[in-house]
Amino acid sequence: MQLCKEKYRSSADLYYIKRKEAKLVGEAREKEYLCIVYHYIQYYYKRAAKYKVGYEVCSVLKIIILAFIPVSQACDYLAGVPWVIALASSMCILLESVMALFNMKDKWILYRKVGNALMCEERKYVTSAGVYGQEDSESAFRLFVENTENIIRNEGDDWNQMVQSSRKNTKNL
């Protein structure tokens, strides 16, 4: 996959649009599409890592701040300053709101799930496992394209449902 790493500098969608005019056949077409799938896998894993780090950082900060509140009450010096506890509580609310606003946990899980599904599909195709071993090479390639495009389309549908659900939940507040 070294070829794929060198080739792509933009998103998989932009690359796919640029290459749309090229009519590739046979093995060249297969390699080209495998590079596109490889790039999508990288994209989803990067997105998953971004949301995972964001979720974990916000969660750890929230835990630390929440642990600080009772300690500050016990400390004579800080107990006389009520705004410290109010500030700590406000920071926890802010962190929780940011996590909810960006659906960090749900997006992390969604992107990781899609990346895993694409990688699994790619491995099955490359090794001719499962349904790909029962088909001739052209049929297997068509099935692979169909399956990977379904995974990507389903991710878009899941993302839209997540956004709609988030909007509905905010309206109910």
Side-chain angles (χ1 to χ4, degrees), residues 18-144:
K18 290 177 191 173
R19 295 294 298 161
K20 193 167 92 172
E21 295 83 29
K23 299 289 183 196
L24 299 173
V25 292
E27 193 175 313
R29 180 180 60 169
E30 178 183 345
K31 285 182 181 178
E32 187 76 19
Y33 192 75
L34 282 170
C35 282
I36 291 169
V37 171
Y38 172 80
H39 193 67
Y40 270 109
I41 291 168
Q42 296 301 310
Y43 168 79
Y44 285 117
Y45 274 108
K46 285 178 186 174
R47 299 288 293 197
K50 172 185 157 187
Y51 283 105
K52 178 183 180 183
V53 167
Y55 177 75
E56 289 177 345
V57 166
C58 287
S59 295
V60 167
L61 285 173
K62 190 172 73 169
I63 291 167
I64 291 169
I65 294 168
L66 286 172
F68 170 76
I69 292 174
V71 171
S72 67
Q73 282 293 316
C75 180
D76 291 334
Y77 176 73
L78 292 175
V81 187
W83 61 267
V84 171
I85 295 167
L87 178 66
S89 301
S90 297
M91 289 174 64
C92 286
I93 292 169
L94 179 67
L95 288 170
E96 188 63 37
S97 299
V98 166
M99 289 189 317
L101 177 67
F102 292 108
N103 288 329
M104 288 181 175
K105 185 177 181 183
D106 295 336
K107 285 183 182 176
W108 159 33
I109 293 168
L110 173 68
Y111 288 135
R112 181 66 191 255
K113 181 181 84 172
V114 173
N116 285 345
L118 285 173
M119 193 181 321
C120 179
E121 206 65 39
E122 180 187 39
R123 282 192 310 257
K124 284 194 268 183
Y125 175 72
V126 169
T127 60
S128 298
V131 295
Y132 300 116
Q134 301 167 359
E135 304 281 339
D136 63 89
S137 63
E138 185 63 29
S139 298
F141 178 69
R142 285 190 180 122
L143 183 61
F144 173 63

